[in-house]
Amino acid sequence: MIQTTNLQKVFTTEEVETTALNGINMAIQDGEFVAIMGPSGCGKSTLLNILGLLDNPSEGSYNFYGSEVAPMSERQRANLRKGAIGFVFQSFNLIDELTVYENVELPLLYLKTPAAERKKRVEEALERMKMMHRRNHFPQQLSGGQQQRVAIARAVVANPKMILADEPTGNLDSTNGEEVMKLLQELNNAGTTIVMVTHSPYDSGFAHRVINLFDGKVVTENFHV
């Protein structure tokens, strides 16, 4: 489970101080599917970066599966992040010079996973995403929907506790977008916790709970039965 208490994030420049998050209190249970919504500039991506251990809060507490994250150094956060969190981005963020197989294998290389285990896990992830037949292709040889499936395979290959998805269907047409949402739903049904930032009411309908942000604060929460 993850929990934030009075989470605040302030960005300061020479001229201006901007409060991106202002007292966020939230708890996400193991196995939940949570959507975070709100207008542009309300703090969604900042919150996702902190939940993903890519940034530190200015104030407040963030407990990630029993570890208090706020006082950690960048290296400590990176070590905790490896293998515990998978990321899926709107722009896919695949490496053009690497094949589909190599892109998916990358997190396991960082984890120093033995070669035989790497091969098994990469092939399982590609089979799961129905992309095994494209294993030797490069990202630019794939459609947007196929690239996002590879990105999801990369996110799940290390069996993370949580997947963070930032507008995962934002660059896809409706057919591919629905396919990606169904894949995330399947992963969630298999036990993976998913936290997704989205502008799409349709996509948010796949979540158990929708948290709405406005001006860096939680304004409402809606539960889907």
Side-chain angles (χ1 to χ4, degrees):
M1 188 189 82
I2 65 176
Q3 182 155 11
T4 72
T5 305
N6 195 33
L7 206 66
Q8 309 213 27
K9 183 65 179 182
V10 178
F11 294 101
T12 305
T13 65
E14 286 182 12
E15 285 112 21
V16 68
E17 192 175 84
T18 305
T19 300
L21 298 176
N22 188 7
I24 300 284
N25 296 300
M26 61 187 285
I28 296 171
Q29 305 297 328
D30 221 8
E32 247 195 307
F33 190 153
V34 176
I36 299 172
M37 299 189 76
S40 295
C42 71
K44 299 187 303 294
S45 293
T46 301
L47 178 58
L48 208 68
N49 284 341
I50 291 174
L51 294 181
L53 311 178
L54 297 171
D55 199 0
N56 253 352
S58 304
E59 287 183 42
S61 164
Y62 172 27
N63 193 285
F64 180 81
Y65 287 90
S67 299
E68 179 51 54
V69 174
M72 287 185 177
S73 68
E74 194 169 331
R75 176 172 290 192
Q76 287 172 317
R77 289 200 314 274
N79 287 335
L80 182 59
R81 188 168 63 237
K82 281 182 201 170
I85 301 174
F87 294 90
V88 179
F89 301 96
Q90 177 177 345
S91 55
F92 319 131
N93 283 19
L94 299 174
I95 298 172
D96 288 340
E97 293 76 24
L98 299 182
T99 64
V100 162
Y101 185 98
E102 291 165 341
N103 266 285
V104 176
E105 183 184 34
L106 205 55
L108 300 179
L109 291 172
Y110 291 136
L111 289 168
K112 299 182 169 60
T113 305
E117 177 70 10
R118 281 204 313 273
K119 182 174 186 292
K120 176 173 174 286
R121 287 213 206 171
V122 172
E123 289 179 353
E124 282 176 356
L126 289 174
E127 289 282 6
R128 195 174 185 183
M129 296 300 138
K130 299 181 174 59
M131 288 301 295
M132 191 63 179
H133 65 297
R134 297 284 198 173
R135 57 178 291 166
N136 295 319
H137 287 69
F138 290 91
Q140 60 268 33
Q141 296 174 300
L142 307 177
S143 69
Q146 289 172 330
Q147 288 188 59
Q148 194 61 295
R149 276 192 272 163
V150 174
I152 294 172
R154 181 185 58 189
V156 302
V157 73
N159 298 322
K161 291 185 172 75
M162 177 170 70
I163 289 178
L164 298 178
D166 192 356
E167 298 281 2
T169 67
N171 283 339
L172 303 177
D173 60 40
S174 59
T175 302
N176 280 307
E178 182 166 11
E179 189 177 303
V180 163
M181 289 310 304
K182 286 180 176 174
L183 287 171
L184 291 175
Q185 189 176 50
E186 284 172 22
L187 292 169
N188 177 248
N189 289 340
T192 305
T193 304
I194 295 180
V195 181
M196 173 183 70
V197 160
T198 182
H199 279 103
S200 165
Y202 177 79
D203 288 0
S204 73
F206 286 82
H208 304 147
R209 179 162 53 116
V210 179
I211 297 173
N212 291 286
L213 298 188
F214 188 78
D215 285 349
K217 297 179 180 179
V218 175
V219 287
T220 58
E221 288 192 48
N222 305 312
F223 290 84
H224 294 154
V225 178

